[in-house]
Amino acid sequence: MVFTDEHKELVKEGEKWMKETANSCIFVAALTATVGFAAAITVPGGNNQDSGFPLFSNERVFTVFAVSVAFCLFSSVASVLMFLSILTSRYAEEDFLRRLPKRLILGLSTLFVSMTSLMIAFGATIYLVFGQKKRWIIYPVYTGAYITAVLFMDLQFGLLWEMFMSTYGPSIFRKQSSRVLY
């Protein structure tokens, strides 16, 4: 009870930080889900007027596009769900030890997968639309997509690593083990 009384302010600060982080990330995840859904229903090149199938459906790169858009959509929705579960959490003192960090780790990880998948889908779209005739366009687009994914990872990896280590790394609150994941 003394510990709880002494750390009330810390719990409030942690709740505020967690909600602000989840709010920012849920916005990005929802935006990514929206773009992924729009990309899935408006395929590059359009559809064949007679059959209704996408014009590029026989291209190998179209499969890359379709799979990456699916990964983008599913992982961004999973990310939205993780951040929503953080926002609706009860923020009890014991939640800060495992439950909330685990949700934040999963949310950031799925957000990274969705952003990377979106960049891959974008690159595949550019290749399908322009790659056949203007091959020089591919290199700056792929470079930009790669830089964007690396930049996102660089900016968020520190937080993700700290959350992972504080949740699954050595701790004074549980028995020490040689296993990393429990």
Side-chain angles (χ1 to χ4, degrees):
M1 289 191 328
V2 172
F3 183 83
T4 301
D5 288 340
E6 291 293 321
H7 292 91
K8 281 183 180 179
E9 193 61 36
L10 190 60
V11 170
K12 287 180 184 176
E13 287 176 25
E15 179 181 350
K16 181 182 176 203
W17 178 82
M18 192 68 80
K19 283 184 177 182
E20 288 174 357
T21 303
N23 263 327
S24 299
C25 291
I26 201 169
F27 175 75
V28 174
L31 187 61
T32 307
T34 304
V35 171
F37 181 77
I41 62 172
T42 57
V43 295
N47 296 327
N48 185 326
Q49 296 298 325
D50 298 328
S51 66
F53 288 108
L55 293 174
F56 293 125
S57 62
N58 294 329
E59 299 279 337
R60 181 180 284 165
V61 179
F62 185 79
T63 305
V64 172
F65 165 79
V67 170
S68 61
V69 163
F71 270 109
C72 172
L73 187 59
F74 298 144
S75 60
S76 59
V77 169
S79 184
V80 166
L81 291 174
M82 284 294 111
F83 293 123
L84 188 61
S85 74
I86 290 172
L87 291 173
T88 58
S89 178
R90 60 190 176 123
Y91 293 98
E93 194 173 298
E94 61 270 9
D95 290 346
F96 284 95
L97 187 59
R98 290 287 237 190
R99 187 172 292 140
L100 290 172
K102 183 175 150 184
R103 290 176 183 174
L104 188 59
I105 289 167
L106 287 171
L108 285 172
S109 299
T110 53
L111 183 60
F112 178 71
V113 168
S114 70
M115 296 289 285
T116 304
S117 299
L118 185 63
M119 292 295 109
I120 293 170
F122 180 72
T125 301
I126 294 299
Y127 178 79
L128 284 170
V129 175
F130 299 111
Q132 311 298 338
K133 296 177 183 163
K134 299 177 182 177
R135 291 189 93 58
W136 64 268
I137 289 178
I138 296 169
Y139 301 112
V141 169
Y142 286 170
T143 303
Y146 177 76
I147 289 171
T148 303
V150 169
L151 182 64
F152 181 75
M153 187 176 98
D154 184 50
L155 294 173
Q156 296 301 320
F157 187 74
L159 173 62
L160 187 61
W161 181 253
E162 282 187 36
M163 295 299 291
F164 184 81
M165 289 309 294
S166 68
T167 304
Y168 299 112
S171 173
I172 62 171
F173 295 112
R174 61 183 172 273
K175 181 181 166 190
Q176 297 300 310
S177 171
S178 60
R179 293 176 16 192
V180 175
L181 298 174
Y182 295 86

